[in-house]
């Protein structure tokens, strides 16, 4: 099994890699008995955050891991963020089966982007989901609706951006889960604080509700549920 998260620990306990800066991605491969096979601390000199649902195994036995990073070019980070120093961008890396970095991509706009989920797609590419505070800038091709919006990014098998989609209302939205459907569309789930506005066609029941969208393969929202 494979586990990922974030760590600010140095060479202590089970940790065999020092950190590159503040928080790093920490990827741990376990055998069937729960023993550590290998581990890798991945990051730059700033904060780099990865989460448990932001890793997926690839068809070649490697792994795609993603999160968000504020690091400059430093340590393992080979591409600068698109916004000012201190802002966060999506950061995705492809690891081989031994945990070595094969490629990476920093994806974002002029504001903050926070990635929470990655999933492999039927074409061996990847779908990324999170929240964006950026307007049209950098890799962001669509304007925002509110303070933050769903930001969904499709990558090919080499990690290159194919398309991105901004979905939201007048307040804050963020993707928390996403899965490809049998028609090659996507189910997207997250949270929303918006009233009826922008892409939001149902009023929220509370202050911050679940917001579920069905996207077609051409990335158009066709079904919306708010509860």
């Amino acid at each position: 099994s494979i586990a990922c998260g974030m760590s600010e620990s140095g060479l202590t306990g089970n940790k065999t890699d020092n950190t590159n800066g503040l928080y790093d991605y920490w990827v741990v491969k376990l055998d069937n008995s729960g023993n550590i096979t290998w581990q890798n601390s991945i990051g730059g000199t700033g904060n780099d955050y990865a989460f448990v649902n932001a890793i997926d195994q690839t068809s070649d036995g490697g792994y795609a891991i993603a999160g968000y990073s504020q690091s400059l070019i430093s340590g393992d980070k080979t591409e600068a963020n698109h916004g000012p120093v201190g802002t966060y961008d999506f950061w995705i890396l492809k690891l081989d089966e031994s945990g070595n970095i094969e490629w990476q991509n920093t994806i974002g706009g002029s504001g903050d982007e926070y990635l929470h989920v990655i999933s492999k797609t039927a074409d061996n590419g990847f779908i990324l989901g999170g929240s964006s505070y950026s307007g049209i800038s950098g890799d962001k091709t669509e304007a925002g609706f509110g303070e933050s919006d769903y930001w969904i990014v499709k990558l090919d098998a080499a990690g290159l951006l194919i398309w991105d989609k901004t979905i939201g209302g007048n307040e804050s939205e963020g993707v928390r889960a996403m899965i490809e459907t049998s028609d090659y569309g996507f189910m997207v789930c997250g949270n929303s604080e918006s009233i009826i506005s922008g892409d939001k066609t149902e009023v929220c029941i509370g202050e911050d509700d679940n917001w579920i969208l069905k996207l077609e393969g051409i990335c158009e929202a066709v079904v919306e549920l708010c509860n």
Side-chain angles (χ1 to χ4, degrees):
S1 60
I2 193 81
C4 79
M6 52 196 174
S7 174
E8 62 175 346
S9 297
L11 299 171
T12 56
N14 296 312
K15 195 99 183 297
T16 60
D17 288 335
N18 211 345
T19 56
N20 293 280
L22 301 174
Y23 277 98
D24 279 357
Y25 292 8
W26 191 29
V27 188
V28 181
K29 179 70 168 65
L30 305 176
D31 64 20
N32 291 334
S33 299
N35 301 307
I36 296 174
T37 303
W38 55 257
Q39 59 178 283
N40 197 354
S41 292
I42 303 170
T45 54
N47 284 309
D48 307 292
Y49 298 113
F51 298 92
V52 66
N53 59 343
I55 190 168
D56 204 353
Q57 190 165 28
T58 54
S59 57
D60 62 358
Y63 302 93
I65 178 173
Y68 49 92
S69 170
Q70 68 167 180
S71 292
L72 307 173
I73 296 174
S74 55
D76 299 304
K77 191 98 183 296
T78 61
E79 185 182 3
N81 285 2
H82 296 273
V85 173
T87 56
Y88 287 90
D89 276 1
F90 289 6
W91 190 33
I92 177 173
L93 303 101
K94 170 64 169 64
L95 309 182
D96 65 19
E97 61 183 5
S98 299
N100 303 304
I101 298 171
E102 293 186 328
W103 54 255
Q104 60 179 277
N105 197 355
T106 298
I107 303 168
S110 59
D112 286 311
E113 275 73 49
Y114 301 104
L115 186 149
H116 290 283
V117 61
I118 179 175
S119 183
K120 186 177 63 178
T121 53
D123 62 357
N124 290 318
F126 307 95
I127 193 78
L128 313 177
S131 57
S132 173
Y133 290 76
S134 296
I136 297 173
S137 54
D139 297 307
K140 192 100 186 304
T141 65
E142 296 180 312
F145 294 91
E147 181 180 3
S148 68
D149 300 303
Y150 283 8
W151 196 34
I152 300 166
V153 176
K154 178 67 173 68
L155 306 180
D156 67 14
L160 302 176
L161 194 152
I162 299 175
W163 54 254
D164 71 293
K165 185 70 177 174
T166 299
I167 303 171
N170 68 318
E171 293 289 347
S172 296
E173 278 78 43
V175 175
R176 293 293 182 267
M178 190 161 40
I179 189 170
E180 189 174 22
T181 54
S182 59
D183 62 356
Y184 305 109
F186 301 96
M187 292 297 298
V188 183
C189 180
N191 61 287
S192 173
E193 299 178 357
S194 295
I195 61 173
I196 296 173
S197 55
D199 296 310
K200 195 89 183 298
T201 62
E202 293 181 279
V203 66
C204 276
I205 298 168
E207 181 179 347
D208 190 6
D209 288 353
N210 294 328
W211 193 29
I212 304 169
L213 300 169
K214 170 66 168 65
L215 306 183
E216 292 181 346
I218 58 171
C219 194
E220 293 295 333
V222 294
V223 178
E224 173 188 357
L225 300 171
C226 186
N227 53 50

